[in-house]
């Protein structure tokens, strides 16, 4: 099973590229979010690969990041979503915005994605809202010195479990994170104080 490809990029029809590796050209289907991160044709790139095997076809789906590949797999757990629709969804919205929309149950935003109607948007939220929390933890917040605290991932997931959107939670943890030795409790407490200070004042 192919897990990744590193080679020279050749342009192809919309939604796919050819990756030349050792004299062999691999046709790889990619979302727009990955395409925007690739070098110009002739440049070299590394793609994470998901291989989808069907009775009459073997397709390679390529992703520039772990988050994109993780979402691609997660989307296919939803009833009615196959690899083609999952790729279309990732082409219609950035991974971070998709994760936020699912966490916040923002079906209106999901309906703006080509191929996603109201019923599909509701199904995506229902089946994935509690499963996307850890995706943005793939890029952990870092201290002002550039080091990630060991407790950052757990604190991030703690805020998400309290109902905060992924981006809001990550920004709060990032702001609170000043020392790699901070505990989960300290990070969550400091992040909640920052979030409370930003909440609209009641009159």
């Amino acid at each position: 099973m192919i897990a990744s490809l590193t080679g020279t990029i050749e342009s192809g029809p919309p939604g796919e590229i050819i990756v030349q590796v050792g004299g062999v050209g691999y046709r790889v289907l990619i979302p727009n979010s990955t395409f925007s991160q690739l070098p110009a044709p002739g440049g070299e790139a590394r793609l994470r690969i998901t291989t989808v095997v069907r009775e009459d076809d073997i397709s390679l789906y390529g992703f520039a990041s772990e988050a994109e590949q993780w979402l691609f797999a997660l989307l296919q757990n939803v009833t009615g979503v196959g690899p083609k629709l999952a790729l279309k969804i990732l082409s219609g919205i950035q991974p971070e915005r998709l994760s936020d929309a699912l966490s916040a149950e923002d079906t209106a935003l999901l309906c703006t994605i080509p191929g996603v109607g109201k019923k599909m948007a509701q199904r995506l939220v229902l089946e994935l809202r509690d499963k996307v929390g850890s995706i943005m933890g793939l890029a952990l917040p870092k201290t002002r010195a550039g080091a990630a605290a060991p407790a950052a991932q757990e604190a991030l997931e703690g805020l998400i479990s309290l109902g905060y959107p992924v981006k809001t939670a990550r920004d709060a943890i990032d702001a609170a994170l000043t020392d790699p030795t901070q505990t989960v409790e300290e990070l969550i407490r400091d992040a909640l104080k920052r979030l409370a200070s930003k909440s609209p004042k009641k009159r």
Side-chain angles (χ1 to χ4, degrees), residues 82-123:
K84 290 184 178 179
L85 180 54
L87 194 71
K88 194 171 185 179
I89 291 172
L90 287 176
S91 288
I93 187 171
Q94 289 295 317
E96 183 174 303
R97 290 193 71 202
L98 175 59
S99 181
D100 282 349
L102 292 169
S103 296
E105 303 183 26
D106 189 349
T107 56
L109 177 57
L110 294 173
C111 284
T112 66
I113 303 171
V116 177
K118 184 176 180 180
K119 290 185 177 179
M120 176 56 72
Q122 292 172 338
R123 191 180 303 154

Side-chain angles (χ1 to χ4, degrees), residues 127-158:
E127 299 187 31
L128 299 182
R129 63 189 173 194
D130 297 324
K131 298 179 181 179
V132 296
S134 62
I135 183 172
M136 290 307 149
L138 297 174
L140 289 177
K142 296 181 180 297
T143 66
R144 302 299 174 268
Q153 173 71 55
E154 193 173 341
L156 179 63
E157 293 180 355

Side-chain angles (χ1 to χ4, degrees), residues 15-28:
E16 65 180 70
I17 55 171
I18 303 298
V19 183
Q20 290 287 346
V21 183
V24 179
Y26 293 88
R27 173 177 174 264
V28 183

Side-chain angles (χ1 to χ4, degrees), residues 45-189:
R46 177 181 182 275
L47 291 174
R48 298 172 178 272
I49 299 295
T50 295
T51 304
V52 176
V53 180
R54 297 290 176 85
E55 291 183 2
D56 58 349
D57 181 59
I58 298 178
S59 298
L60 302 181
Y61 291 82
F63 307 94
S65 69
E66 186 176 356
E68 291 168 312
Q69 187 178 38
W70 190 88
L71 270 176
F72 177 72
L74 189 65
L75 285 166
Q76 292 176 73
N77 291 326
V78 176
T79 305
V81 179
K84 290 184 178 179
L85 180 54
L87 194 71
K88 194 171 185 179
I89 291 172
L90 287 176
S91 288
I93 187 171
Q94 289 295 317
E96 183 174 303
R97 290 193 71 202
L98 175 59
S99 181
D100 282 349
L102 292 169
S103 296
E105 303 183 26
D106 189 349
T107 56
L109 177 57
L110 294 173
C111 284
T112 66
I113 303 171
V116 177
K118 184 176 180 180
K119 290 185 177 179
M120 176 56 72
Q122 292 172 338
R123 191 180 303 154
L124 288 169
V125 166
L126 179 64
E127 299 187 31
L128 299 182
R129 63 189 173 194
D130 297 324
K131 298 179 181 179
V132 296
S134 62
I135 183 172
M136 290 307 149
L138 297 174
L140 289 177
K142 296 181 180 297
T143 66
R144 302 299 174 268
Q153 173 71 55
E154 193 173 341
L156 179 63
E157 293 180 355
L159 285 188
I160 292 169
S161 70
L162 292 175
Y164 290 100
V166 175
K167 186 179 186 305
T168 300
R170 190 177 60 172
D171 288 347
I173 293 296
D174 183 48
L177 186 53
T178 57
D179 184 343
T181 64
Q182 285 170 283
T183 65
V184 175
E185 293 76 13
E186 289 172 338
L187 277 173
I188 291 178
R189 183 179 63 248

